[in-house]
C-alpha cells in the first residue's frame, strides 16, 4: 500500500465506516478488513488519528483499528507481521502526539502506546520513557496531562509482565523515574489542598493530576521494588500515606456539595488505600512497620461514631484489617526449620495484633460489625420490594474485595475465628438480647434480629460447642417462622437461611422431618418470594448433608415438588430459574429411584420451559442437567418421555445448530444416560446417531463420551445399529486414528474390541481394512503398556475367532516388514512373549492365553519353534486366573461365569451401575470366551489335538522342550 496515494482512500473508508447507514457501513468495514494485512495500512491509520483536523469519530475509529492491528500483527512471529520500518513510523507518531485535544481519543492513544511498550520497551523503544518524562516536565498543561496519562498506561502495562527479565526491567524503570513521579504527586497534592479551601476552578485539574500520578506510584510501589523498606523514597512515600489520607478525608468533608470534586477526592482516597493493600499483599515484610497505624486508622474511621464514610473506602479498610489477620507472614511459626528473620517478623506482627485487639476493642468491633454493618439498609429493602430476585442474588467469589456486605461478613468471620474465645460470649449475649419473637411493627427490632441471626449463621462451625441448636430450633426458630406478619418476612428469610447454615453442623437426624415441614411452611405461594427462594436453598443444603436419609424426605416429596414447581413458574430471571432447577436436580439425584412417582408435574412443565428458554442457553444447560437426573431416577421408564427427550438431545448435539456451543457437553451426557437406561433401541434413538459423525470430526475434546455413546448403541441394539451404521463407524474410527494420542487410541481400540466381542465372526472382518496397519504398529517399538495390552488383546480375538483372517492380515503386513508371513508370525509371537507382562488385567491375559492356545493345533514350523514359549505364557496366565476349590481341591478358572454370576470385580469395564446398560454388559460377558470358556480345559483339549496331529513321538519331543518346572505346573493345573 503506497502511503502517499492511499491515505485519502483510507480516510474516506474510515469515514464511511462511521456511518449509521448499514448499506454504507458494511462495504466500508469489509474494505478495511481487506486492508488489515496490507503493508503500510497501520502507519496511514496512525497519521489519521494524529491529525486533529479530522472528525473525532473517524480518529477514534482509526485508533481502535490500530489497537487491533497491534494485537494481531505486531509480534515478529505473527502471520502478516508488520515490517520494522512501519512499526518505527507508528512509534514515532505515538510519542509526538501529546497534545490530543479530545479526552476519549487521548485515552485510546495512551492505551495503544502501552500495548506497543509491552512488546518493545525498553530495548526496541528506548526513547519512550525519556520522551514521556520530558513531556511531563513541559509547562503546557494539556501536554503534561496527556503525558501523565500515557505514563500511567505504560506503567500499568509494564507492571503486568511477570517473567524475571521483564520484572528486572520494570524495577530499573521504576528506579529511574519513581523519585520524579513522587515529587509530581507531592506537588500536585499540595496545590490541590491549597485550592480546596478557595474553591478555585483549578481544583479539578489539580486533582486529576493527583489521580494520574498516584496510579503510576501504585504500580511502581507494588511491582517496582524488591524490598520497599530498603529504598528511602518508597519509605518516604509509604510514611506519607496516612497523613495524606487524613487530609483528603477532611477535604472531602469540607467540600461536601461539590459532587464532582468530592468524587475525585474519593478516587484519591480509594487509590491510597489500594496502595496499602498492594503493599500488604506483595511486600508483607515492608508493611510490618505500618500494621499498628493501619489498624488504628481503620478503627478510627469505621468503628467509631464517624460511621460509614463511603462504601469503597470502608471495603478497602476492612480488607486491610482482614489481610493483616489473615496473612501467613504474620502468623507465629511453630517449625524450627523456619527462617529466623521470618520468625522474628511473625512474632513482632503477632505481638502488635495481640496488643491492639484488646477485649474492649474486640467487643466494640464485633458489636459495630453486627449491629451497624450487618443491618439491612433502606436501599436493600427498596430493592427487595421492587425485585425480590435481584435482592436474592448471591455475591460469591471475590465480591468481598469490592462489595460492602460480603466484605463485612468476611471480616467478621476472620476476626471471630482468630478471637473465638473472646467473641463467643459477646455474640451469645446479643442472641439472648433478641430471644423470642420481636414486635412485628418495630423495624428496628426486626433488623437487629436479622443482623444477629446472620452473625450466628456465619459463625456456625465456630459456635458448635456453644449453642444447643436442636433446642433452639425447636423452641425458638420454628416459632419465628410461624409469625406471618408481612414485615416479619425479614426474620423468616433469615431464620430459614440460618437453619440451612446449621443443618450440616448440628441438627439431629430425628429433627429432619420437622425441618422439611418448616421448609414447606415457607415455600407456599402466599409467602414472600425472597423467603421462598431462601427456603429452596435450605432444602438443597438439607438434602446435601452427609446424614441425609431419603426415606425421611419421602412423605414430603410431593408437596415440596409442587411448591418448587410453582416457584419455578413465578420467577422471571434466568439465573433464578437455574437455582431452583438445581434444587430439583439435586433432590432427584439424592432420592434415586424413589423419586419416580413424584416427577410427573415437572415433566409437564419442562417442555414449556425449554421452549421459553430458547434465548437463555445457560438455563437450557440447567434443564439438561435436571433431565440427566430424571433419566437416572426413572430408569427404563424414561421411554415414557422420549418424545420430549430425543429432540432436546438432537438440538444439543447438532453441530450445525448454534446452541450446541453451550449445550453440547450436557447434551452428550443426557444422550449417554438415555441410552444406558433405555430397554430397547427405538427408531428415534437410531436416527439420533446421525449427529455422531460430525461430533467425531470435532476432535478429541468430547471423544471419551462419544465413544461411550457408541458403546451404548452396540450393547443396546447390536444388529440394528451395525446394520445401519457399520460403514460410518469404521470410516469415522479410521479417520480418528490417523492423528491421535495414545490415550485416545486406547479408547478407540476398546470400542473396536467391543465390536469383536459382540460379533465374533463378522466384527474382525468389518474392521479388516484397519488390521494390517494396526499389526504394523504392534510390531513397531511401542513403549506404552496400556496400548500394547490393547493391541495384544485385539489380535488375540482375531486369532481366536477368525484365524483365516489373521493369516490374511499377516500376509498383507509381511512384505512391509521385508519378511514372509511365517516370519511375521514369529516376530509377533516373540513380541507377545516379551510384552506379556505389560498385560495387567486378568481378562486380557486370559484372552491372550486362549489365542495362543488356539495355535497349538496349527501345523506350522513357526508354532513348533515357539511351542515352549507358548506353553510358558499360558501356564503363567493359569496362575493368574485359577484358584483352588476349597472342597475338591481342584484348580478352577474363576473368570468363568455361572448362570447367575456377573463379571468379576476386576472386569475390563468401568464403574458398575444398576441400570439396563450394565445388564446388557453382563449378558455380553456371559457369551465372551473369557467368561464362558475354561482356560485349563481349553488347553487340555488343544494339547490333546496337538498330540493326535503330531503323533506321540513328536509331541513328546515338543513337551521335552518345555522347562520341567513349567511342565510340572501344567500337569498340576490340568490334573
Amino acid at each position: 500500500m503506497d502511503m502517499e496515494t492511499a491515505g485519502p482512500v483510507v480516510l474516506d473508508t474510515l469515514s464511511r465506516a462511521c456511518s449509521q447507514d448499514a448499506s454504507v457501513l458494511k462495504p466500508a468495514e469489509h474494505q478495511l478488513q481487506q486492508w488489515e494485512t496490507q503493508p503500510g495500512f497501520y502507519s496511514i491509520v496512525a497519521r489519521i488519528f494524529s491529525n486533529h483536523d479530522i472528525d473525532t469519530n473517524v480518529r477514534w475509529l482509526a485508533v481502535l483499528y490500530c489497537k487491533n492491528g497491534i494485537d494481531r500483527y505486531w509480534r515478529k512471529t505473527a502471520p502478516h507481521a508488520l515490517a520494522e520500518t512501519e512499526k518505527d513510523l507508528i512509534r514515532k507518531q505515538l510519542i509526538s502526539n501529546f497534545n490530543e485535544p479530545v479526552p476519549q481519543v487521548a485515552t485510546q492513544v495512551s492505551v495503544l502506546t502501552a500495548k506497543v511498550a509491552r512488546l518493545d520497551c525498553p530495548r526496541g523503544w528506548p526513547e519512550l520513557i525519556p520522551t514521556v518524562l520530558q513531556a511531563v516536565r513541559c509547562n503546557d498543561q494539556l501536554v503534561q496531562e496527556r503525558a501523565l496519562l500515557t505514563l500511567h498506561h505504560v506503567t500499568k502495562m509494564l507492571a503486568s509482565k511477570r517473567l524475571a527479565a521483564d520484572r528486572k526491567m520494570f524495577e530499573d524503570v521504576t528506579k529511574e523515574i519513581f523519585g520524579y513521579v513522587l515529587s509530581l504527586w507531592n506537588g500536585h497534592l499540595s496545590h490541590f489542598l491549597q485550592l480546596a479551601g478557595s474553591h478555585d476552578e483549578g481544583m479539578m485539574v489539580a486533582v486529576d493530576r493527583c489521580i494520574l500520578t498516584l496510579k503510576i506510584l501504585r504500580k511502581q510501589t507494588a511491582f517496582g521494588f524488591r524490598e520497599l523498606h530498603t529504598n528511602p523514597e518508597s519509605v518516604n512515600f509509604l510514611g506519607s500515606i496516612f497523613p495524606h489520607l487524613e487530609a483528603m478525608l477532611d477535604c472531602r468533608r469540607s467540600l461536601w456539595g461539590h459532587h464532582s470534586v468530592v468524587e475525585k477526592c474519593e478516587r484519591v482516597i480509594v487509590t491510597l488505600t489500594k496502595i496499602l493493600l498492594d503493599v500488604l499483599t506483595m511486600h508483607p515484610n515492608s508493611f510490618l512497620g505500618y500494621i499498628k497505624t493501619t489498624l488504628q486508622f481503620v478503627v478510627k474511621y469505621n468503628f467509631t461514631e464517624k460511621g460509614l464514610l463511603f462504601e469503597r473506602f470502608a471495603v478497602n479498610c476492612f480488607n486491610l484489617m482482614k489481610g493483616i489477620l489473615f496473612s501467613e507472614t504474620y502468623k507465629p511459626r511453630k517449625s524450627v526449620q523456619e527462617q529466623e528473620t521470618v520468625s522474628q517478623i511473625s512474632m513482632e506482627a503477632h505481638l502488635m495484633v495481640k496488643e491492639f485487639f484488646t477485649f474492649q476493642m474486640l467487643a466494640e468491633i464485633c458489636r459495630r460489625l453486627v449491629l451497624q454493618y450487618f443491618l439491612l439498609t433502606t436501599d436493600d429493602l427498596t430493592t427487595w420490594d421492587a425485585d425480590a430476585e435481584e435482592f436474592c442474588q448471591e455475591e460469591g467469589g471475590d465480591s468481598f474485595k469490592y462489595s460492602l456486605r460480603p466484605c463485612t461478613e468476611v471480616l467478621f468471620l476472620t476476626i471471630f475465628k482468630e478471637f473465638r474465645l473472646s467473641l463467643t460470649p459477646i455474640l451469645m449475649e446479643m442472641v439472648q438480647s433478641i430471644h423470642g419473637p420481636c414486635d412485628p411493627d418495630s423495624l428496628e427490632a426486626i433488623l437487629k434480629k436479622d443482623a444477629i441471626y446472620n452473625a450466628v449463621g456465619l459463625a456456625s462451625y465456630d459456635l458448635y460447642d456453644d449453642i444447643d441448636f436442636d433446642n433452639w430450633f425447636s423452641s425458638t426458630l420454628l416459632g419465628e417462622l410461624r409469625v406471618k406478619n408481612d414485615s416479619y418476612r425479614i426474620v423468616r428469610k433469615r431464620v430459614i437461611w440460618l437453619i440451612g447454615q446449621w443443618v450440616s453442623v448440628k441438627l439431629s437426624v430425628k429433627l429432619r422431618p420437622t425441618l422439611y415441614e418448616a421448609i414447606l411452611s415457607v415455600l407456599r405461594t402466599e409467602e414472600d418470594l425472597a423467603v421462598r427462594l431462601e427456603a429452596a436453598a435450605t432444602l438443597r443444603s438439607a438434602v446435601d448433608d452427609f446424614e441425609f436419609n431419603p426415606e425421611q424426605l419421602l412423605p414430603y416429596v410431593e408437596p415440596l415438588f409442587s411448591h418448587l414447581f410453582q416457584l419455578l413458574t413465578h420467577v422471571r430471571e434466568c439465573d433464578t430459574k437455574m437455582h431452583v432447577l438445581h434444587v430439583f436436580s439435586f433432590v432427584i439425584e439424592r432420592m434415586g429411584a424413589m423419586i419416580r412417582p413424584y416427577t410427573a408435574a415437572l415433566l409437564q412443565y419442562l417442555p414449556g420451559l425449554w421452549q421459553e428458554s430458547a434465548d437463555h442457553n445457560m438455563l437450557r444447560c440447567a434443564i439438561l442437567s435436571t433431565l440427566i437426573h430424571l433419566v437416572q431416577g426413572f430408569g427404563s421408564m424414561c421411554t415414557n418421555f422420549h418424545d420430549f427427550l430425543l429432540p432436546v438431545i438432537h438440538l444439543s448435539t447438532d453441530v450445525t445448530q448454534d446452541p450446541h456451543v453451550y449445550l453440547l457437553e450436557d447434551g452428550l451426557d443426557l444422550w449417554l444416560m438415555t441410552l444406558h437406561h433405555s430397554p430397547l433401541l427405538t427408531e428415534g434413538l437410531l436416527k439420533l446417531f446421525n449427529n455422531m459423525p460430525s461430533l467425531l470430526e470435532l476432535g478429541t475434546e468430547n471423544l471419551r463420551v462419544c465413544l461411550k455413546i457408541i458403546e451404548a448403541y452396540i450393547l443396546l441394539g447390536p444388529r440394528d445399529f451395525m446394520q445401519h451404521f457399520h460403514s460410518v463407524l469404521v470410516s469415522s474410527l479410521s479417520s480418528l486414528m490417523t492423528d491421535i494420542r495414545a490415550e485416545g487410541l486406547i479408547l478407540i481400540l476398546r470400542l473396536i474390541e467391543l465390536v469383536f466381542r459382540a460379533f465374533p465372526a463378522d466384527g474382525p472382518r468389518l474392521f479388516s481394512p484397519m488390521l494390517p496397519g494396526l499389526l504394523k504398529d504392534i510390531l513397531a517399538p511401542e513403549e506404552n503398556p496400556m496400548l500394547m495390552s490393547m493391541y495384544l488383546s485385539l489380535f488375540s480375538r482375531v486369532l481366536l475367532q477368525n484365524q483365516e483372517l489373521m493369516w490374511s492380515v499377516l500376509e498383507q503386513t509381511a512384505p512391509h516388514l521385508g519378511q514372509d508371513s511365517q516370519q511375521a508370525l514369529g516376530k509377533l509371537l516373540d513380541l507377545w512373549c516379551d510384552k506379556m507382562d505389560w498385560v495387567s488385567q486378568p481378562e486380557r491375559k486370559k484372552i491372550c492365553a486362549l489365542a495362543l492356545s488356539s495355535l497349538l493345533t496349527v501345523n506350522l514350523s513357526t508354532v513348533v519353534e515357539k511351542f515352549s514359549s507358548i506353553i510358558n505364557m499360558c501356564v503363567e496366565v493359569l496362575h493368574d486366573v485359577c484358584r483352588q476349590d476349597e472342597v475338591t481341591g481342584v484348580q478352577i478358572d474363576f473368570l468363568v461365569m455361572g448362570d447367575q454370576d456377573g463379571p468379576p470385580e476386576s472386569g475390563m469395564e468401568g464403574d458398575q451401575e444398576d441400570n439396563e446398560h450394565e445388564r446388557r454388559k453382563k449378558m455380553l460377558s456371559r457369551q465372551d470366551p473369557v467368561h464362558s470358556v475354561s482356560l485349563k480345559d481349553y488347553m487340555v483339549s488343544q494339547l490333546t489335538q496337538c498330540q493326535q496331529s503330531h503323533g506321540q513321538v513328536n509331541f513328546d519331543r515338543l513337551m521335552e522342550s518345555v522347562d520341567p518346572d513349567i511342565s510340572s505346573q501344567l500337569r498340576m493345573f490340568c490334573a
Side-chain angles (χ1 to χ4, degrees):
M1 181 177 288
D2 187 347
M3 288 177 56
E4 298 301 324
T5 58
V9 179
V10 175
L11 175 58
D12 178 64
T13 308
L14 282 168
S15 301
R16 286 187 284 111
C18 293
S19 172
Q20 300 297 314
D21 185 349
S23 63
V24 176
L25 170 68
K26 293 296 182 184
E29 286 183 337
H30 179 71
Q31 181 59 71
L32 289 168
Q33 190 175 7
Q34 298 299 311
W35 284 336
E36 282 182 4
T37 56
Q38 293 295 313
F41 172 68
Y42 291 105
S43 54
I44 293 173
V45 169
R47 287 174 56 188
I48 289 172
F49 69 66
S50 300
N51 188 340
H52 304 161
D53 295 329
I54 296 173
D55 180 73
T56 299
N57 291 330
V58 176
R59 294 197 299 118
W60 188 79
L61 185 61
V63 181
L64 294 185
Y65 265 95
C66 205
K67 275 173 56 181
N68 291 335
I70 285 170
D71 289 336
R72 295 173 185 171
Y73 310 117
W74 197 269
R75 294 180 188 274
K76 294 178 181 179
T77 55
H80 309 292
L82 273 67
E84 286 300 319
T85 53
E86 185 173 5
K87 293 195 316 192
D88 193 47
L89 286 169
I90 295 171
R91 285 191 289 254
K92 288 178 180 177
Q93 199 76 55
L94 288 172
I95 56 176
S96 62
N97 190 24
F98 292 123
N99 58 344
E100 172 58 56
V102 182
Q104 293 88 343
V105 176
T107 299
Q108 295 299 328
V109 172
S110 296
V111 173
L112 175 58
T113 306
K115 283 180 175 287
V116 177
R118 193 178 200 280
L119 298 170
D120 289 359
C121 195
R123 295 178 186 84
W125 202 3
E127 63 271 22
L128 172 64
I129 300 296
T131 306
V132 173
L133 287 178
Q134 184 180 356
V136 169
R137 294 184 177 97
C138 177
N139 293 325
D140 187 307
Q141 181 175 309
L142 178 63
V143 171
Q144 189 181 59
E145 283 190 15
R146 297 298 183 250
L148 276 173
L149 181 64
T150 301
L151 184 59
H152 158 56
H153 283 289
V154 168
T155 303
K156 183 178 179 181
M157 193 66 77
L158 295 180
S160 68
K161 302 177 78 170
R162 291 292 178 267
L163 294 177
D166 294 324
R167 295 180 68 174
K168 177 66 168 61
M169 178 268 292
F170 187 68
E171 288 168 9
D172 293 340
V173 171
T174 298
K175 190 182 300 182
E176 182 182 345
I177 68 173
F178 184 83
Y180 180 70
V181 178
L182 179 59
S183 67
L184 283 178
W185 151 250
N186 288 326
H188 291 317
L189 181 63
S190 298
H191 184 52
F192 169 70
L193 293 173
Q194 289 172 3
L195 295 175
S198 62
H199 304 301
D200 190 285
E201 292 181 1
M203 278 195 304
M204 290 297 286
V205 175
V207 77
D208 280 338
R209 292 181 182 180
C210 285
I211 292 169
L212 278 176
T213 52
L214 191 58
K215 285 181 175 179
I216 297 167
L217 289 173
R218 180 191 171 193
K219 291 298 179 184
Q220 291 183 340
T221 303
F223 301 102
F225 297 95
R226 292 286 174 90
E227 292 186 351
L228 285 168
H229 57 276
T230 61
N231 183 281
E233 290 177 329
S234 61
V235 169
N236 177 37
F237 173 57
L238 289 176
S240 69
I241 286 180
F242 291 101
H244 289 334
L245 274 169
E246 300 265 3
M248 290 303 294
L249 286 165
D250 290 340
C251 184
R252 172 183 175 274
R253 186 165 47 249
S254 66
L255 289 170
W256 196 252
H258 295 72
H259 299 299
S260 56
V261 183
V262 168
E263 184 182 343
K264 301 277 187 181
C265 286
E266 290 181 353
R267 288 180 65 185
V268 173
I269 293 166
V270 168
T271 305
L272 285 167
T273 54
K274 283 180 178 178
I275 292 170
L276 292 173
L277 281 167
D278 289 344
V279 175
L280 175 58
T281 304
M282 307 292 294
H283 303 279
N285 292 357
S286 299
F287 194 82
L288 181 67
Y290 305 98
I291 289 178
K292 186 175 181 180
T293 310
T294 301
L295 293 173
Q296 290 172 339
F297 177 83
V298 171
V299 168
K300 176 181 177 180
Y301 284 98
N302 297 277
F303 296 112
T304 62
E305 294 305 319
K306 288 180 180 291
L308 177 62
L309 296 181
F310 62 101
E311 183 168 327
R312 287 176 300 161
F313 171 69
V315 167
N316 286 353
C317 285
F318 289 169
N319 282 326
L320 277 168
M321 181 174 280
K322 187 211 72 148
I324 291 170
L325 292 170
F326 206 70
S327 173
E328 286 297 321
T329 306
Y330 299 155
K331 293 187 182 299
R333 299 298 202 271
K334 297 180 181 178
S335 173
V336 294
Q337 284 82 22
E338 296 287 351
Q339 295 179 6
E340 186 177 334
T341 54
V342 176
S343 298
Q344 186 177 351
I345 289 170
S346 301
M347 289 306 300
E348 286 185 35
H350 180 67
L351 287 173
M352 279 190 272
V353 169
K354 189 175 180 181
E355 288 174 5
F356 180 81
F357 285 103
T358 62
F359 180 79
Q360 290 76 14
M361 179 66 74
L362 287 169
E364 182 66 16
I365 291 174
C366 181
R367 289 194 177 97
R368 287 195 178 274
L369 278 174
V370 175
L371 301 177
Q372 182 177 337
Y373 290 100
F374 277 15
L375 294 178
L376 292 175
T377 65
T378 305
D379 287 344
D380 292 331
L381 297 177
T382 302
T383 303
W384 187 339
D385 288 332
D387 190 343
E389 292 181 55
E390 181 185 346
F391 177 76
C392 290
Q393 288 292 328
E394 292 184 4
E395 295 182 281
D398 287 344
S399 59
F400 70 90
K401 294 180 180 178
Y402 317 105
S403 185
L404 182 60
R405 182 166 297 280
C407 170
T408 308
E409 292 176 350
V410 168
L411 176 61
F412 170 79
L413 267 178
T414 303
I415 294 177
F416 201 90
K417 287 181 181 297
E418 193 72 23
F419 304 102
R420 184 177 63 83
L421 294 178
S422 297
L423 291 178
T424 296
I426 297 170
L427 187 55
M428 296 307 298
E429 180 186 317
M430 291 187 202
V431 174
Q432 286 299 320
S433 71
I434 51 141
H435 182 70
C438 61
D439 182 1
D441 296 324
S442 172
L443 182 60
E444 181 181 352
I446 286 173
L447 293 180
K448 180 181 178 183
K449 183 184 284 281
D450 173 77
I452 294 172
Y453 280 177
N454 186 17
V456 175
L458 292 172
S460 56
Y461 285 95
D462 298 297
L463 293 171
Y464 180 89
D465 295 322
D466 301 288
I467 290 181
D468 180 356
F469 191 77
D470 282 0
N471 180 53
W472 194 32
F473 171 75
S474 302
S475 64
T476 303
L477 298 180
L478 290 177
E480 302 270 30
L481 292 177
R482 297 189 191 104
V483 181
K484 295 303 181 183
N485 185 288
D486 183 58
S487 61
Y488 219 74
R489 62 184 175 156
I490 298 171
V491 175
R492 291 197 299 276
K493 179 180 182 299
R494 181 60 68 188
V495 167
I496 202 67
W497 170 86
L498 174 65
I499 294 169
Q501 297 300 111
W502 276 84
V503 67
S504 60
V505 177
K506 200 177 182 182
L507 182 66
S508 299
V509 174
K510 66 181 180 181
L511 287 175
R512 297 306 167 93
T514 309
L515 168 61
Y516 303 141
E517 291 173 3
I519 292 172
L520 271 173
S521 72
V522 287
L523 260 180
R524 303 183 189 281
T525 52
E526 59 269 20
E527 182 58 86
D528 180 89
L529 183 59
V531 181
R532 294 165 69 193
L533 289 170
E534 201 64 73
T538 296
L539 175 61
R540 192 193 188 289
S541 299
V543 172
D544 195 20
D545 182 44
F546 178 75
E547 294 186 309
F548 170 71
N549 181 350
E551 292 184 357
Q552 286 184 307
L553 183 63
L554 200 58
Y556 306 97
V557 166
E558 192 166 6
L560 281 171
F561 267 39
S562 174
H563 291 318
L564 284 173
F565 164 74
Q566 290 170 336
L567 178 59
L568 200 54
T569 60
H570 289 167
V571 296
R572 306 180 324 277
E573 297 295 330
C574 176
D575 283 350
T576 318
K577 288 180 184 288
M578 286 171 59
H579 284 306
V580 179
L581 269 175
H582 283 143
V583 177
F584 266 119
S585 296
F586 207 74
V587 174
I588 292 166
E589 182 184 7
R590 296 286 276 161
M591 292 297 291
M594 293 184 186
I595 209 70
R596 293 177 187 177
Y598 305 104
T599 50
L602 185 60
L603 282 174
Q604 291 173 6
Y605 177 64
L606 284 177
L609 182 62
W610 180 262
Q611 295 300 325
E612 293 171 13
S613 61
D615 297 327
H616 302 284
N617 288 306
M618 297 312 295
L619 177 55
R620 284 195 158 182
C621 288
I623 297 172
L624 289 171
S625 177
T626 305
L627 286 171
I628 290 168
H629 294 308
L630 272 174
V631 171
Q632 282 180 307
F634 266 70
S636 59
M637 294 170 60
C638 69
T639 52
N640 294 339
F641 57 103
H642 270 195
D643 289 347
F644 167 53
L645 207 56
L646 301 191
V648 167
I649 296 171
H650 183 275
L651 175 68
S652 305
T653 59
D654 184 356
V655 298
T656 65
Q657 301 285 333
D658 291 340
H660 91 274
V661 175
Y662 306 94
L663 308 179
L664 180 57
E665 187 174 343
D666 291 312
L668 287 171
D669 288 340
L670 178 59
W671 190 356
L672 180 62
M673 194 60 60
T674 302
L675 290 168
H676 277 188
H677 290 278
S678 293
L680 49 87
L681 183 60
T682 63
E683 185 179 349
L685 285 170
L686 206 55
K687 287 182 178 178
L688 204 54
F689 192 80
N690 289 313
N691 282 1
M692 182 56 69
S694 298
L695 291 169
L696 292 174
E697 288 176 9
L698 292 178
T700 58
E701 185 176 348
N702 294 294
L703 179 63
R704 185 180 295 274
V705 68
C706 285
L707 294 179
K708 282 184 173 292
I709 287 170
I710 298 172
E711 173 197 291
Y713 271 106
I714 293 170
L715 290 169
L716 178 59
R719 294 287 172 194
D720 287 344
F721 173 72
M722 294 301 290
Q723 183 179 348
H724 282 84
F725 295 109
H726 64 273
S727 59
V728 172
L729 183 62
V730 173
S731 62
S732 294
L733 296 183
S734 298
S735 177
L736 274 172
M737 291 173 70
T738 55
D739 182 22
I740 196 170
R741 292 182 179 178
E743 293 84 356
L745 187 56
I746 289 168
L747 296 176
I748 295 171
L749 293 176
R750 282 178 181 166
L751 183 62
I752 295 173
E753 183 188 40
L754 178 67
V755 177
F756 287 10
R757 291 172 61 205
F759 300 94
D762 296 335
R765 276 200 295 270
L766 185 64
F767 285 92
S768 59
M770 296 169 56
L771 294 178
L774 292 179
L775 187 57
K776 281 191 289 185
D777 290 340
I778 195 176
L779 294 175
E782 174 55 59
E783 298 303 321
N784 187 312
M786 289 184 66
L787 189 55
M788 178 57 70
S789 174
M790 280 307 310
Y791 280 139
L792 294 176
S793 178
L794 204 62
F795 277 99
S796 293
R797 292 188 181 276
V798 179
L799 184 59
L800 184 65
Q801 296 165 180
N802 197 330
Q803 279 194 4
E804 183 180 340
L805 177 61
M806 187 66 190
W807 306 139
S808 173
V809 172
L810 283 167
E811 287 176 1
Q812 293 178 56
T813 309
H816 296 281
L817 303 173
Q819 300 172 335
D820 60 29
S821 58
Q822 285 231 38
Q823 289 173 321
L825 175 61
K827 185 173 182 180
L828 178 60
L829 291 175
D830 287 339
L831 179 86
W832 225 312
C833 183
D834 185 43
K835 304 297 186 185
M836 191 68 168
D837 287 341
W838 284 13
V839 183
S840 57
Q841 292 173 308
E843 290 80 1
R844 299 202 189 284
K845 283 191 172 186
K846 180 175 175 180
I847 198 67
C848 289
L850 287 170
L852 291 168
S853 297
S854 72
L855 288 173
L856 294 175
T857 57
V858 177
N859 192 10
L860 289 174
S861 58
T862 303
V863 175
V864 171
E865 290 172 13
K866 307 294 181 184
F867 183 86
S868 62
S869 298
I870 293 172
I871 296 296
N872 286 350
M873 285 188 282
C874 291
V875 170
E876 182 182 329
V877 176
L878 282 171
H879 281 288
D880 290 325
V881 303
C882 289
R883 293 174 183 165
Q884 189 175 41
D885 187 279
E886 294 179 0
V887 178
T888 64
V890 176
Q891 293 286 340
I892 58 172
D893 186 335
F894 72 84
L895 289 179
V896 176
M897 294 165 53
D899 291 340
Q900 304 302 318
D901 294 335
E905 291 181 3
S906 60
M908 289 179 279
E909 307 301 338
D911 296 334
Q912 301 293 303
E913 298 177 25
D914 184 18
N915 58 35
E916 294 286 331
H917 180 69
E918 293 303 323
R919 182 181 60 80
R920 291 188 282 268
K921 283 164 63 175
K922 290 175 185 176
M923 288 178 62
L924 181 61
S925 293
R926 289 196 178 96
Q927 303 166 19
D928 193 324
V930 170
H931 298 297
S932 62
V933 175
S934 166
L935 176 59
K936 73 164 194 169
D937 292 346
Y938 184 69
M939 280 195 68
V940 169
S941 171
Q942 288 297 98
L943 286 170
T944 301
Q945 290 185 48
C946 179
Q947 181 182 18
Q948 294 170 356
S949 167
H950 289 282
Q952 188 65 46
V953 174
N954 289 331
F955 180 73
D956 289 343
R957 190 180 298 117
L958 286 172
M959 290 303 297
E960 287 172 4
S961 68
V962 179
D963 184 278
D965 286 343
I966 299 297
S967 296
S968 174
Q969 294 170 33
L970 179 62
R971 285 193 294 273
M972 177 197 70
F973 281 113
C974 299

